Amino acid sequence: MTLHLDDSVWPHVRASLSGPASEADVSRYVDAMNAWLDRREPHTLLIHVKSGASTTSGQRRVITDWIRKRRLELAEFRAAVAVVTGSRTTRAAANAAYWLAPPPYEVAVFADLEPAQRWVRRQLAPAR
């Protein structure tokens, strides 16, 4: 898999995924999520799932266990996650997964990048 992690426009971070994930990719992703959360600052995450991206059930379990372990901190510092994928099947699966096991932050699933970027930016906008 190609995993690109970008926090250059903090507090809006981005993960882009394409192809099958390796164990090293998942480890690097979890390390990045730890680093972002350890800043102890509100932030958003945009996950762009490109064509052919996939993870195994064991890799998804690693991420789910990490979310469970850091749930209280995520509730405080992760404002929102936007998932972008062109695949209807992947969008449906993501929506179902978030419905069955809601994370402690706002989540939205999108078909296109532009609306997802606008949405995550609004999640950290000051209340009016």
Side-chain angles (χ1 to χ4, degrees):
M1 166 173 84
T2 300
L3 172 63
H4 179 72
L5 302 167
D6 182 7
D7 62 3
S8 64
V9 291
W10 182 264
H12 304 287
V13 297
R14 186 169 170 175
S16 299
L17 320 162
S18 61
S22 69
E23 299 306 316
D25 291 326
V26 173
S27 179
R28 197 160 58 92
Y29 179 67
V30 169
D31 288 346
M33 290 195 304
N34 276 319
W36 297 331
L37 196 54
D38 288 345
R39 289 184 183 194
R40 303 190 65 75
E41 298 173 5
H43 63 280
T44 64
L45 172 60
L46 189 148
I47 303 170
H48 190 184
V49 182
K50 297 179 179 180
S51 180
S54 63
T55 55
T56 66
S57 60
Q59 292 166 336
R60 289 187 300 275
R61 190 173 319 111
V62 166
I63 295 166
T64 301
D65 289 348
W66 180 86
I67 291 169
R68 194 172 298 120
K69 177 181 171 188
R70 302 221 43 194
R71 188 172 190 81
L72 292 176
E73 295 159 293
L74 284 164
E76 185 173 356
F77 298 112
R78 178 151 301 156
V81 170
V83 178
V84 180
T85 178
S87 164
R88 286 183 186 182
T89 303
T90 303
R91 284 194 308 275
N95 278 317
Y98 291 129
W99 181 77
L100 290 170
Y105 41 78
E106 293 294 320
V107 176
V109 181
F110 298 86
D112 298 303
L113 194 54
E114 290 293 323
Q117 290 172 323
R118 285 191 304 271
W119 182 81
V120 292
R121 292 201 186 297
R122 282 195 313 266
Q123 303 313 301
L124 280 180
R128 297 176 189 212

